[in-house]
Amino acid sequence: MEMGMRKFSSALALLFLSLISASMATSETDVPFMVVHKKASLSSIKSGVQRVFVTIDIYNQGSSSAYDVNLADDNWNSNLFEIVSGNTSKSWEKLDVGQVLSHSFVLESKKKGLFYGSPAVVTFRVPSKGVLQAYSTPILPLDVLAETIPEKKLDLRLVGRFGPQVSVISIIVTFVYLMVTPSKGSKKKR
């Protein structure tokens, strides 16, 4: 009987400790969890001019809202890029749970070269924690004004023009091959 009471009390103590640790874990995770994704793509406007289209998406995957959300992406060197449209920073009043905020801007390149972008910084306020920070995903290196060799792709006009003839010829060749090759199971037994 005493052995059963010890097992019961140890199981009760283990349950009590797990409940306390679970309640502490849930109280600490009651904050926004920001996922910030930064994308940049190059587009040639004319010879010697290339534009960089930058989009930053902010996802709140946490369990509470974020307030006073500020985005800053000020790492674009003014000697290399000029802002064509939009701003590199933006502010929002609130970002609710499960909501997505998006911001875009366009830059124009001034010089040729390889550019390594830094992550954008998002600051936000949580009533119980104060000001928190999140960083975006880094972008791949941008080869601005690089000379690219055009790839030779399959011409779809040729496929449309000669495709039916090629398929008919391949069917006839396959049929003749099947007729000419001897079958292994057709030997007669004497």
Side-chain angles (χ1 to χ4, degrees):
M1 174 115 173
E2 186 177 310
M3 186 67 143
M5 283 300 274
R6 281 188 188 175
K7 284 184 179 180
F8 178 74
S9 65
S10 64
L12 189 61
L14 184 63
L15 178 66
F16 180 73
L17 286 175
S18 64
L19 286 175
I20 289 175
S21 64
S23 68
M24 286 176 28
T26 57
S27 68
E28 288 181 14
T29 60
D30 193 27
V31 295
F33 179 72
M34 298 293 187
V35 177
V36 185
H37 182 63
K38 180 178 175 182
K39 298 175 278 194
S41 61
L42 292 171
S43 176
S44 294
I45 303 300
K46 56 185 176 181
S47 180
V49 177
Q50 218 170 21
R51 288 196 174 168
V52 181
F53 295 92
V54 181
T55 303
I56 302 170
D57 297 321
I58 305 169
Y59 303 89
N60 184 355
Q61 300 294 322
S63 58
S64 68
S65 296
Y67 299 94
D68 300 329
V69 179
N70 294 310
L71 166 68
D73 191 18
D74 299 327
N75 55 20
W76 299 94
N77 190 344
S78 61
N79 294 332
L80 300 175
F81 298 100
E82 178 182 338
I83 297 175
V84 175
S85 68
N87 289 322
T88 57
S89 61
K90 175 95 176 175
S91 295
W92 296 272
E93 189 176 312
K94 183 179 178 183
L95 178 58
D96 289 322
V97 175
Q99 188 179 8
V100 178
L101 296 174
S102 186
H103 178 64
S104 298
F105 56 93
V106 180
L107 305 166
E108 195 169 273
S109 61
K110 292 182 178 179
K111 293 182 182 176
K112 179 180 180 177
L114 197 60
F115 177 74
Y116 295 94
S118 300
V121 179
V122 175
T123 58
F124 55 97
R125 186 179 54 80
V126 180
S128 62
K129 299 276 185 185
V131 177
L132 299 174
Q133 245 182 5
Y135 293 95
S136 73
T137 56
I139 58 171
L140 294 174
L142 298 173
D143 200 0
V144 179
L145 296 173
E147 296 176 12
T148 57
I149 300 170
E151 295 179 20
K152 186 148 186 146
K153 295 183 179 178
L154 181 64
D155 193 4
L156 293 178
R157 291 178 292 166
L158 290 175
V159 172
R161 186 171 176 193
F162 297 111
Q165 289 89 352
V166 170
S167 64
V168 168
I169 290 172
S170 64
I171 290 172
I172 291 172
V173 167
T174 305
F175 180 73
V176 169
Y177 175 76
L178 290 173
M179 295 303 288
V180 173
T181 55
S183 173
K184 291 182 180 180
S186 66
K187 288 185 180 178
K188 291 185 179 181
K189 293 185 179 181
R190 296 185 188 184

